[in-house]
Amino acid sequence: ETGVTQSPTHLIKTRGQQVTLRCSSQSGHNTVSWYQQALGQGPQFIFQYYREEENGRGNFPPRFSGLQFPNYSSELNVNALELDDSALYLCASSSQTSITGELFFGEGSRLTVL
Amino acid sequence: QQQVKQSPQSLIVQKGGISIINCAYENTAFDYFPWYQQFPGKGPALLIAIRPDVSEKKEGRFTISFNKSAKQFSLHIMDSQPGDSATYFCAAVVQGGSEKLVFGKGMKLTVNP
């Protein structure tokens, strides 16, 4: 087991709604990254949080936002949902002190937007 | 713009055969190239990784070959087993600072018994 847990595992929303996804990082990891994986595609980087601050962002609009808490857990918030937001959202934790920088992924939250 | 291109998109091999997945990258600043394995309903998990100062790395039945001048790298799975059936992603990253893995589109491997 990776130790990264995500919730909820599945959810259905309608266009225009807002969603919050949650992630608990692996013990000892201080960095959390979020990825969007559309069906049949590779994960795409959304953003990364380190010490409660955003530390890098991919090509996603501002309606994708996040938080990291003092215990290193994190939230991904998406406002004004669009049909194309339907995807598997993956959280990955890592340690800034890791030589390899390996990411440990959770099982994801599958979002369906109708 | 897709920075890491992966091929083929899918592959079917018989048990005991060799599976080969190829990737090409564009950004010469990439300095770490991991391969991730993803089973249905699971998140990706690191399989094996290589740095550009090494031309080959082997771990058990899995071998990465790296060609820095061609900006290409590949994963070879020897003696493929049905349990290897999964989706494989190559990725690349510039380490240091805000590390952002750039993934290929993935290759679905099916190993028939």
Side-chain angles (χ1 to χ4, degrees):
Chain A
E1 299 299 320
T2 64
V4 177
T5 59
Q6 293 186 242
S7 63
T9 55
H10 295 82
L11 71 165
I12 300 173
K13 294 284 187 178
T14 57
R15 277 187 303 173
Q17 285 188 312
Q18 179 266 344
V19 67
T20 297
L21 308 178
R22 296 177 175 82
C23 171
S24 293
S25 60
Q26 183 165 316
S27 177
H29 287 178
N30 54 18
T31 302
V32 173
S33 303
W34 286 91
Y35 286 79
Q36 181 195 65
Q37 186 177 16
L39 196 62
Q41 301 293 317
Q44 284 201 315
F45 175 74
I46 303 175
F47 42 56
Q48 181 186 84
Y49 279 84
Y50 171 61
R51 291 185 174 179
E52 303 178 54
E53 292 193 359
E54 188 176 288
N55 182 37
R57 187 180 183 92
N59 188 27
F60 281 82
R63 56 189 187 84
F64 285 77
S65 62
L67 286 173
Q68 186 180 33
F69 301 99
N71 65 355
Y72 304 130
S73 66
S74 177
E75 285 183 356
L76 164 65
N77 298 288
V78 187
N79 294 321
L81 283 168
E82 301 176 0
L83 295 180
D84 284 348
D85 295 334
S86 295
L88 180 68
Y89 289 86
L90 294 163
C91 169
S93 73
S94 58
S95 171
Q96 289 288 345
T97 59
S98 168
I99 295 175
T100 64
E102 178 180 354
L103 295 183
F104 293 83
F105 284 88
E107 295 189 351
S109 294
R110 183 161 297 281
L111 171 65
T112 301
V113 182
L114 302 177
Chain B
Q1 183 181 7
Q2 187 181 357
Q3 294 191 58
V4 178
K5 294 183 179 180
Q6 186 172 349
S7 64
Q9 290 185 326
S10 62
L11 181 65
I12 301 174
V13 300
Q14 294 300 118
K15 178 182 176 181
I18 302 173
S19 305
I20 302 174
I21 313 168
N22 300 301
C23 284
Y25 64 96
E26 300 170 0
N27 186 354
T28 55
F30 288 142
D31 56 4
Y32 181 66
F33 300 86
W35 285 86
Y36 280 79
Q37 179 189 54
Q38 185 175 30
F39 292 103
K42 302 291 186 181
L46 180 66
L47 186 63
I48 186 173
I50 197 168
R51 298 185 189 280
D53 54 348
V54 176
S55 61
E56 185 174 283
K57 182 176 181 180
K58 183 177 181 179
E59 290 184 0
R61 297 184 292 109
F62 301 90
T63 300
I64 301 178
S65 297
F66 191 88
N67 186 330
K68 187 174 181 179
S69 61
K71 295 188 288 186
Q72 295 175 348
F73 57 111
S74 60
L75 175 69
H76 292 221
I77 306 174
M78 311 300 288
D79 187 26
S80 298
Q81 300 296 311
D84 297 331
S85 297
T87 299
Y88 292 82
F89 295 95
C90 60
V93 64
V94 179
Q95 287 199 301
S98 56
E99 296 163 7
K100 300 173 283 288
L101 272 179
V102 179
F103 285 85
K105 288 190 174 182
M107 189 210 76
K108 184 177 181 180
L109 173 65
T110 302
V111 181
N112 290 326

